[in-house]
Each structure stands twice: as C-alpha cells, then as structure tokens.
Amino acid sequence: MQTDFFKTNPFLGPEAFKAFSPDAFKAFSPDAFKAFTQVSPVKMADEFFKAARQYRFSPADMDAVMESQRRTIEAFNAVGRVVTENAQKIAKRQAEMVKETLDEMTAALSEISKSGTFEDATAKQAEFVKGAFESALDNSREIAEMFAESNEAVSEPISARVSALLDEMKEGALKLKAKPEKSEKAKAA
C-alpha cells in the first residue's frame, strides 16, 4: 500500500525527481547567458529611439530627449562596469584574507601542538587568538574602506548624471515655453 502511495503521489514519486535531472539545469548553462552578455543597452536604446523618431507625438524635441536618455544609459553602463570591477576586487581580497587566516591558523596550531606544557599551550593559544582578533578587525576595516571607495566611485557619476538630466529637463521645458510665444508673434504679424 505504501508503494502505491509513492507511485501515485506527484510530490514523492519518481516524477518529483525529474526536476533535478541534468536536463532541468540546461537553462543555466553558459550558453544561455551569452544573450545577456552580448546585448548592449546603448544599442537597444538607439534602436528604440530610431523607431520613436518616426512618431512625433510630442511638442518636445525628441532628438534631445533621446540623446539625454542615451547618455543616462551610458552612465549607468559605466557604473555597472565599476560595480563589477570593484566587486571582483573585494571578492579577491576577501579570498586572500581567508587564505592568510588559514595559513596563520595552521602555523599556530602546529606551534601550539609542539608546546611542552599545558601552560605554554594556553599562552600560545591566547597569543594566537589575540592576533587573529586584531587581524580580523584590520581585515574588516580594509573591506569597509574598499566598499566606501566603491560607493564613492559609483555615486559620483550617478549624481553628476542626475544633475545634468535635471538641467536638460529644465532647458527643454524652457524651450517648450518659448515655442508658443513665437507662434503667437507670427500670428499677430
């Protein structure tokens, strides 16, 4: 009776484990991600803007709007590259720190095991723990500084682009405001 239960239950039977077959993970192969690495958001935006230029649905200068958006996309692409590079640097440094810590631990354990007395072993162990604690604090400080530098490197271009974008919007609004005045002057003449 129990075997029938497992055969008929879709959550416990053999069918349930098909989700874990190697075929189920083909979507996560490196080939599946090629499409994402070969796509350029700037090129996609340019294609969109080319298509949008055909439709003049707004009194705004669409070329200026599209150029502004292209610069925004480029800024975010540059920021994305900086974030990726900094994340790789931080991960590499953390891996180095782990290796250094393991090497120090191995050396300390070897030295502690060679101690002649319990008191000597305890003193060496306390010395090792103190050094490990200081090293952990230094490593934490270094990683925090790396994150702070990364955040600064990312926030500056974004802030600059947002500021420029707001200036562009203000300039565009002033141009729109000036256009009706010109057409009314032309009607009056």
Side-chain angles (χ1 to χ4, degrees):
M1 178 137 184
Q2 188 176 13
T3 56
D4 292 336
F5 175 76
F6 285 113
K7 287 180 184 174
T8 59
N9 189 325
F11 299 107
L12 301 174
E15 296 295 316
F17 297 102
K18 285 186 178 178
F20 300 107
S21 71
D23 293 338
F25 295 99
K26 284 184 180 174
F28 300 106
S29 71
D31 292 337
F33 292 105
K34 275 186 185 174
F36 295 108
T37 60
Q38 295 173 350
V39 171
S40 167
V42 174
K43 287 181 183 175
M44 287 174 49
D46 285 343
E47 291 299 319
F48 172 77
F49 294 145
K50 283 179 191 173
R53 278 190 190 101
Q54 297 173 10
Y55 306 102
R56 296 272 179 196
F57 55 85
S58 170
D61 181 3
M62 287 305 291
D63 289 335
V65 170
M66 290 182 221
E67 179 60 25
S68 174
Q69 292 302 311
R70 187 188 61 73
R71 286 192 300 267
T72 300
I73 291 169
E74 286 176 350
F76 276 97
N77 268 349
V79 165
R81 282 190 296 275
V82 169
V83 167
T84 302
E85 291 168 6
N86 288 340
Q88 289 172 342
K89 287 178 189 176
I90 291 169
K92 181 180 177 184
R93 182 62 187 124
Q94 285 177 323
E96 291 169 357
M97 288 175 179
V98 168
K99 184 183 180 317
E100 291 167 5
T101 301
L102 291 174
D103 290 346
E104 290 170 6
M105 191 183 311
T106 302
L109 290 174
S110 175
E111 193 174 319
I112 290 170
S113 68
K114 293 176 186 174
S115 299
T117 65
F118 176 75
E119 290 80 13
D120 289 342
T122 304
K124 287 180 183 179
Q125 186 177 13
E127 184 180 320
F128 165 72
V129 170
K130 181 182 177 186
F133 180 73
E134 291 170 354
S135 179
L137 286 177
D138 291 341
N139 289 345
S140 296
R141 216 173 279 121
E142 182 181 346
I143 294 297
E145 288 171 3
M146 291 176 80
F147 272 109
E149 289 171 8
S150 177
N151 289 343
E152 188 176 323
V154 168
S155 64
E156 286 177 10
I158 290 175
S159 296
R161 182 62 203 136
V162 168
S163 179
L165 183 59
L166 292 172
D167 289 343
E168 292 166 6
M169 289 173 63
K170 179 181 174 184
E171 184 179 307
L174 292 174
K175 283 182 182 177
L176 282 176
K177 183 180 177 185
K179 280 186 179 181
E181 292 173 8
K182 290 180 184 176
S183 63
E184 286 187 25
K185 288 180 184 176
K187 288 179 187 177

